[in-house]
Amino acid sequence: MEISCIVNGEKKQFKIEPDETLLNILRREGYLGVKRGCEEGNCGVCTVLMNGRPVNSCVVFGAKADGAEIITVEGLGTPENLNTLQEAFLDEGAVQCGFCTPGFLLSATALLKENPEPSREEVIEALDSNYCRCTGYVKPINAVLAAARKMRGEE
Amino acid sequence: MAAETNFEVVGKNLRKVDGPGLVCGKPMFTDDIEMRGLLYGKILYSPHAHARIKKIDKTKALALPGVHAVICHEDVPRIAHTTAGQGYPEPSAYDTFVFDKKVRFVGDRVAAVAAETREAAEEAVKLIEVEYEVLPPILDERKSMDPGAPVIHDEPEAEMIIPVPYDKERNLAGGVNMNIGDVEKGLEEADFKFDYEYIVPYYHHCPQEPHICYAWLDDQDRVVIRTSTQVPFHVRRLVARALDIPVKKIHVIKPRVGGGFGCKQEVYLEQVVAALAMASRRPVKIELTRREEFISGRTMHPEIIHLRTGVKKNGDLTAVHLDILMNTGAYGSHALTVVYNSGGKTLPLYRCPNIKFDGTSVYTNLPVGGAYRGYGATEAYFAIETQMDEMAEAIGMDPVEFRKRNHIKEGETSPVFSALGEGKAGVEQFVESCGLDKCIDLGAEAIGWSRRKDLPRTGIKRRGIGMGTFMQGSSIPHVDMGAAYLKLNEDGSFNLLVGATDLGTGSDTVLAQIAAEVLGVPLTSMIVRSSDTDITPFDVGAYASSTTYLSGMAVLRAAEKTAAQIKKVAGKLLAAEPEQVTLKDSRAFVPGGKSVSLHEIAMDSLYVDNQFQIQDGASAISFKSPPPFAAHFAEVEVDTETGKVTLLKYVAACDCGTAINPALAEGQVEGGVVNGIGFALSEEMLFDSGGRTLNPSFHDYKIFTTVDLPEMRTILVPTYEPTGPCGAKSVSEININGPIPVIANAIYDAVGIRLRRSPFTPERVLEALSEKEKMKQ
Ligand code: FES
Ligand code: FES
């Protein structure tokens, strides 16, 4: 079957198998920042935004994405033009291996869009479905708070 | 001790050199390439804990459309090797084959296929027909060496290639005995004696990126292996051996690695993928699923630790006897060295005249142990640091004071250093930098140690604070080697080529900071390439807390040699002696303020006069393994009705010498600590009576996420290690050792129960509480 959706602002048409996951489709189509970690909906490294909400793309069927607006990490910024959140992750030392980072960035993007002034608890809540074995989470949490402050013009 | 610490680039929280690509999701990991004609590999795993393969019929699998290769023991050379990615000669038994006629745990590999789609590969694996003769398994390490126990490695080839304790007939995979003084006499002299057993279960590394490997044949029929590994050069050597092909026929590429923690110091996938690529003459990839990662991958070695100690009323330790039974599982990967390290990285910490250490490592038909951050020290510290707490209580001394009184100090040595290395005798060394007292003081203040006596210890929810102190090492002396190479480009930038393997730890950045410091350039002038066996110089790889300390020293030397060449050209251009030249801000200065830019120097040396490439390389080995130190503190709340332990606050203070990049060093502390908290409270691999893993998913093997976190404090205590590059020691492993004993001590402080088996689940807490009640009556 064929689906059409908007990925990172671009209109796209994908030929897919009916039981294919959104994760497989996106990686096949070259969105390699979407990572595969468990394919069971647990680890969050496959997180993308679907109509503004973070979803684990490994447990979303491609057919469900028909007509949806998808944002992957490739839609956030480029190395020459990083967005505030990406910069904060680098400046706070929140990236170690970086395998989980796209998922963290997208969960945080959704949070900050809805709630520009999150408390530490709200950040913790929003990042709960993203596993990271490297950082111990302290710096990713700090990075989201730092980015929020900066986006509010406080720093 | 503080020394020359006027650094420009070192000691700064600079952005990781690979950071911008990573936050943009650039295709940097093993799986992020597209290859025409790629085949998907899949492995058939044993359903039995112990069995002989009587017959394999591949006909149906081969007949499936899209299948290009099906391989088993009939199709590959039968060459015993180890999967432990260690230096040669490996101190791990050669007891593994690419495929064998015998399987030794549920998850052992039987055969592999390569097919055009993942689905076809999965289907083909199911079509392989295997006839097994099921053998009695050993699932309890205490029974491994019983007379008449099944022999797990009954093949004639299995052997240790170095003279160390190994007896496959008795399932002995490694052992160590050390004796200093007279422990029995020491125990007699003690005012208080302690004698307990501690149990640490199977833990899993859980890297977010599961093992993944690509292999293909290049234009010269060389095997190119693109793999997520901590040890690319060992991959090349071990695959060459396992498949009987020359080293020159193999090219190993390490892209970014999605976390390793030791499990990617193992070479167990690469030989299979390479064999499939050679059999099919097509590019092949194998990517483990999370379930496969759990059932067939490597684990932390479980240990049963028997610790006896004696202490005098004045606080002097009189005896320490550490006796460990370690389970290495079905293969002896790191079986000798991990158990060595259980003593070697713990026993030097406290002064004691009588120390005995017995370690025995045995085979069982359970998953295979491997290297895991902490490398044996984590297990032993559980016993040592909780028993230290008991001693302090018995003599009525504050646990903080008790540790301060007994720990090794700057200028001191321990006989254990020379007695225990890794799989052999160690080297004598004096501690030249030790910030442990300061770690203890700052940590105690941060947790509020003085509040301890006033915490609520009645009612349903009770609070307590615990602490512990730790050390590790930095590299394996006289064994590890790292090398680095630098060259200057026209624009004043440098290529830094290192064999050292960044597995997410930030070593590319840290090493580039060291080079940039010496060369007087900003970090952005360094172009780093790490671990490609065709391109970069050798390095043993990322393990044993060696990269910053050892590879960093190689980089420092390469940079100094390169700087000398730059100064020569600068001297010529500025009419000065090279010795008068200093490098700063990408320029070379002479006294009086005249200067020339690195760009001008490069242009001159490449194009103008007496041309040559400014370039140099250097190697480093280590002669000692300077310990980093740490003091950890935890506050917990124990619910006496449900048994639930809530961790409220965790403080880790760590002396890693000079932190080359403090934010990255803190990240190493925090990552280690949170992994250790998982060990203490939630993680454990469970097996059924047939040796099958019961919880091979993140759903059932619970690692910590943000909502589980306590309030965390990380304190770096700078010291200056004179033998390290810019004063640095290691930081990556030590902090995983803390949480198990520190949380155990906090639980005791809260509710008076001593837990001697991790993790401290509500059931175990409740059981201990009810036992305590019974004892009272
Ligand atoms: S890969 Fe989707 S949640 Fe783990
Ligand atoms: S940075 Fe490695 S898993 Fe998060």
Side-chain angles (χ1 to χ4, degrees):
Chain A
M1 61 185 286
E2 203 175 84
I3 58 167
S4 51
C5 44
I6 299 173
V7 185
N8 300 333
E10 275 179 60
K11 257 197 142 132
K12 293 276 177 180
Q13 233 129 38
F14 301 134
K15 272 211 177 66
I16 66 161
E17 299 294 326
D19 59 350
E20 226 180 337
T21 63
L22 182 56
L23 167 65
N24 272 353
I25 297 163
L26 288 171
R27 281 194 67 82
R28 191 186 62 224
E29 296 296 333
Y31 301 96
L32 295 166
V34 191
K35 299 299 179 202
R36 189 196 311 275
C38 70
E39 293 186 277
E40 294 172 330
N42 289 316
C43 74
V45 301
C46 63
T47 303
V48 299
L49 299 186
M50 194 160 137
N51 299 325
R53 287 204 21 252
V55 295
N56 288 329
S57 63
C58 70
V59 288
V60 172
F61 283 122
K64 271 253 165 97
D66 194 19
E69 198 179 321
I70 310 275
I71 294 180
T72 72
V73 68
E74 285 91 346
L76 298 187
T78 61
E80 298 72 39
N81 192 15
L82 299 169
N83 77 17
T84 309
L85 193 57
Q86 289 170 312
E87 292 203 316
F89 265 65
L90 293 183
D91 290 334
E92 295 289 325
V95 182
Q96 282 191 33
C97 77
F99 199 76
C100 68
T101 307
F104 272 84
L105 291 170
L106 290 161
S107 293
T109 300
L111 168 74
L112 296 183
K113 184 133 198 236
E114 220 168 73
N115 178 1
E117 216 162 327
S119 64
R120 177 170 280 269
E121 285 61 43
E122 285 167 330
V123 172
I124 285 172
E125 202 62 48
L127 299 180
D128 177 41
S129 33
N130 294 94
Y131 285 18
C132 173
R133 193 60 152 176
C134 298
T135 64
Y137 305 104
V138 178
K139 299 200 184 308
I141 294 167
N142 289 345
V144 176
L145 288 166
R149 283 195 302 273
K150 200 153 181 204
M151 287 155 113
R152 296 196 302 267
E154 286 169 27
E155 269 174 26
Chain B
M1 178 173 71
E4 322 87 80
T5 44
N6 263 337
F7 298 122
E8 296 278 336
V9 188
V10 160
K12 304 271 185 311
N13 288 335
L14 301 174
R15 287 183 180 179
K16 270 171 67 118
V17 294
D18 50 343
L22 290 171
V23 294
C24 293
K26 290 285 166 202
M28 297 160 79
F29 293 88
T30 300
D31 197 34
D32 299 343
I33 51 168
E34 291 173 82
M35 290 211 100
R36 192 162 289 201
L38 179 70
L39 301 180
Y40 295 78
K42 198 81 196 162
I43 295 173
L44 174 66
Y45 297 104
S46 167
H48 304 293
H50 199 190
R52 235 177 269 288
I53 296 170
K54 291 178 70 181
K55 215 173 113 199
I56 297 191
D57 189 345
K58 301 180 285 193
T59 330
K60 285 189 186 146
L62 277 167
L64 192 76
V67 171
H68 288 252
V70 181
I71 56 173
C72 67
H73 66 86
E74 295 158 2
D75 310 287
V76 291
R78 182 176 172 81
I79 298 170
H81 61 276
T82 175
T83 59
Q86 299 174 299
Y88 181 83
E90 303 90 343
S92 291
Y94 283 14
D95 60 3
T96 308
F97 303 88
V98 180
F99 296 105
D100 199 358
K101 285 176 284 193
K102 195 180 179 191
V103 285
R104 298 178 181 82
F105 71 104
V106 178
D108 207 353
R109 59 184 180 229
V110 175
V113 307
E116 273 165 31
T117 62
R118 185 169 155 173
E119 293 71 28
E122 279 164 7
E123 185 62 33
V125 155
K126 290 187 201 138
L127 293 174
I128 302 172
E129 290 172 353
V130 187
E131 211 179 295
Y132 295 99
E133 175 197 343
V134 176
L135 303 170
I138 302 173
L139 301 171
D140 177 353
E141 62 266 47
R142 293 185 209 253
K143 301 202 175 117
S144 279
M145 292 185 62
D146 283 356
V151 177
I152 294 174
H153 285 276
D154 53 358
E155 70 278 12
E157 296 94 337
E159 61 163 348
M160 268 283 187
I161 61 163
I162 54 169
V164 291
Y166 181 72
D167 185 354
K168 61 188 177 188
E169 305 298 330
R170 292 163 59 224
N171 293 318
L172 175 69
V176 51
N177 304 97
M178 180 205 79
N179 199 2
I180 294 161
D182 183 342
V183 160
E184 302 310 326
K185 197 170 130 264
L187 285 168
E188 271 167 36
E189 289 164 10
D191 293 317
F192 297 94
K193 286 183 272 193
F194 304 86
D195 182 342
Y196 295 108
E197 189 177 272
Y198 303 79
I199 299 178
V200 178
Y202 268 101
Y203 290 128
H204 199 275
H205 304 75
C206 302
Q208 289 309 294
E209 177 200 42
H211 277 75
I212 176 158
C213 175
Y214 279 63
W216 64 90
L217 300 176
D218 73 5
D219 53 342
Q220 297 167 52
D221 254 5
R222 296 171 73 219
V223 185
V224 184
I225 300 174
R226 179 180 162 96
T227 182
S228 181
T229 182
Q230 296 172 226
V231 287
F233 287 88
H234 295 336
V235 167
R236 186 175 65 172
R237 192 187 78 248
L238 290 173
V239 171
R241 175 180 171 84
L243 296 178
D244 196 20
I245 46 182
V247 161
K248 69 177 176 196
K249 282 277 186 192
I250 301 174
H251 173 191
V252 179
I253 301 167
K254 178 222 68 108
R256 304 325 296 171
V257 173
F261 320 107
C263 71
K264 291 173 183 169
Q265 196 195 332
E266 287 285 313
V267 186
Y268 62 83
L269 203 53
E270 288 86 353
Q271 51 273 61
V272 176
V273 185
L276 284 171
M278 287 162 71
S280 63
R281 298 197 61 81
R282 290 268 294 260
V284 178
K285 86 161 174 183
I286 293 186
E287 177 182 29
L288 296 191
T289 63
R290 185 56 58 183
R291 184 189 154 77
E292 290 173 315
E293 186 75 29
F294 273 106
I295 68 156
S296 72
R298 296 302 182 247
T299 64
M300 183 155 126
H301 291 90
E303 287 188 359
I304 298 171
I305 303 142
H306 183 189
L307 180 64
R308 297 190 299 151
T309 55
V311 65
K312 282 206 173 131
K313 282 189 191 131
N314 68 356
D316 284 348
L317 300 179
T318 61
V320 176
H321 181 196
L322 183 63
D323 185 2
I324 293 177
L325 177 63
M326 190 177 94
N327 174 5
T328 189
Y331 297 93
S333 177
H334 302 266
L336 177 75
T337 38
V338 168
V339 78
Y340 253 84
N341 236 38
S342 292
K345 294 289 184 275
T346 57
L347 295 171
L349 183 57
Y350 300 116
R351 258 172 276 124
C352 178
N354 307 298
I355 307 178
K356 194 165 188 284
F357 174 45
D358 299 299
T360 308
S361 188
V362 296
Y363 288 121
T364 63
N365 293 108
L366 285 166
V368 186
Y372 197 134
R373 191 178 207 174
Y375 207 74
T378 312
E379 294 95 319
Y381 272 121
F382 178 19
I384 292 169
E385 282 308 297
T386 48
Q387 220 161 93
M388 283 294 284
D389 228 47
E390 293 188 68
M391 287 186 246
E393 190 190 20
I395 62 171
M397 193 181 279
D398 186 315
V400 162
E401 287 314 312
F402 184 53
R403 267 125 178 141
K404 277 188 161 180
R405 188 178 195 284
N406 286 298
H407 79 73
I408 193 166
K409 311 262 177 345
E410 219 169 85
E412 291 181 352
T413 185
S414 162
V416 179
F417 284 132
S418 46
L420 291 180
E422 292 205 6
K424 57 179 181 184
V427 295
E428 189 186 10
Q429 64 171 349
F430 286 82
V431 172
E432 293 181 67
S433 59
C434 177
L436 185 50
D437 277 338
K438 198 158 175 208
C439 290
I440 295 173
D441 288 342
L442 294 177
E445 194 188 316
I447 198 83
W449 185 253
S450 53
R451 289 183 295 128
R452 192 166 180 249
K453 47 188 184 315
D454 311 321
L455 294 173
R457 295 208 178 73
T458 52
I460 293 167
K461 292 187 174 180
R462 303 181 193 177
R463 289 195 179 188
I465 297 181
M467 63 91 59
T469 52
F470 309 92
M471 59 165 271
Q472 194 89 23
S474 309
S475 81
I476 315 174
H478 300 286
V479 172
D480 290 343
M481 192 277 268
Y485 166 84
L486 276 157
K487 73 178 166 73
L488 174 65
N489 301 317
E490 281 106 324
D491 59 351
S493 65
F494 292 89
N495 292 101
L496 171 63
L497 307 186
V498 290
T501 307
D502 191 336
L503 65 149
T505 48
S507 65
D508 281 4
T509 306
V510 163
L511 296 176
Q513 280 180 265
I514 293 171
E517 182 70 42
V518 176
L519 293 162
V521 297
L523 180 59
T524 46
S525 291
M526 306 300 307
I527 308 157
V528 189
R529 181 76 177 257
S530 59
S531 342
D532 179 315
T533 59
D534 269 13
I535 296 170
T536 68
F538 179 88
D539 191 292
V540 287
Y543 57 86
S545 284
S546 66
T547 305
T548 301
Y549 180 72
L550 183 74
S551 312
M553 192 52 92
V555 168
L556 185 90
R557 282 189 200 143
E560 282 170 351
K561 289 164 83 178
T562 308
Q565 296 181 19
I566 295 172
K567 288 176 182 179
K568 239 190 190 157
V569 179
K572 181 189 75 181
L573 293 175
L574 296 169
E577 290 304 317
E579 298 76 53
Q580 298 176 298
V581 177
T582 50
L583 301 179
K584 201 174 159 12
D585 301 333
S586 301
R587 301 185 73 82
F589 291 86
V590 289
K594 266 205 301 175
S595 72
V596 57
S597 71
L598 289 186
H599 157 67
E600 291 164 298
I601 293 170
M603 295 308 277
D604 185 81
S605 75
L606 291 173
Y607 300 107
V608 180
D609 170 42
N610 208 3
Q611 293 100 305
F612 74 110
Q613 168 73 62
I614 292 180
Q615 60 174 340
D616 221 325
S619 305
I621 62 167
S622 60
F623 300 98
K624 54 182 290 191
S625 183
F629 294 95
H632 286 196
F633 296 80
E635 179 172 355
V636 300
E637 183 174 83
V638 183
D639 185 321
T640 52
E641 271 180 359
T642 62
K644 187 172 165 27
V645 177
T646 306
L647 184 58
L648 301 172
K649 184 163 180 175
Y650 200 96
V651 176
C654 182
D655 151 27
C656 60
T658 301
I660 306 286
N661 184 316
L664 296 182
E666 284 168 12
Q668 288 299 309
V669 177
E670 286 152 6
V673 164
V674 173
N675 191 160
I677 293 173
F679 289 169
L681 294 177
S682 67
E683 298 181 31
E684 177 171 16
M685 284 177 75
L686 302 167
F687 304 97
D688 72 6
S689 58
R692 269 169 293 271
T693 308
L694 287 169
N695 53 344
S697 83
F698 281 146
H699 193 70
D700 301 312
Y701 183 98
K702 178 83 183 70
I703 74 172
F704 261 55
T705 63
T706 50
V707 290
D708 308 309
L709 284 189
E711 182 190 340
M712 301 258 297
R713 246 320 269 296
T714 305
I715 304 168
L716 296 183
V717 172
T719 60
Y720 192 91
E721 168 57 38
T723 66
C726 308
K729 299 189 278 190
S730 81
V731 66
S732 56
E733 293 189 86
I734 175 171
N735 292 288
I736 201 169
N737 299 330
I740 304 179
V742 170
I743 291 170
N745 290 341
I747 293 171
Y748 177 79
D749 188 45
V751 292
I753 53 170
R754 286 281 173 201
L755 297 170
R756 304 185 208 278
R757 183 190 193 117
S758 62
F760 314 130
T761 57
E763 298 74 37
R764 287 181 185 151
V765 171
L766 281 183
E767 197 185 320
L769 281 170
S770 83
E771 248 164 57
K772 188 184 158 217
E773 280 308 307
K774 267 190 238 150
M775 299 273 279
K776 264 197 202 156
Q777 287 157 11

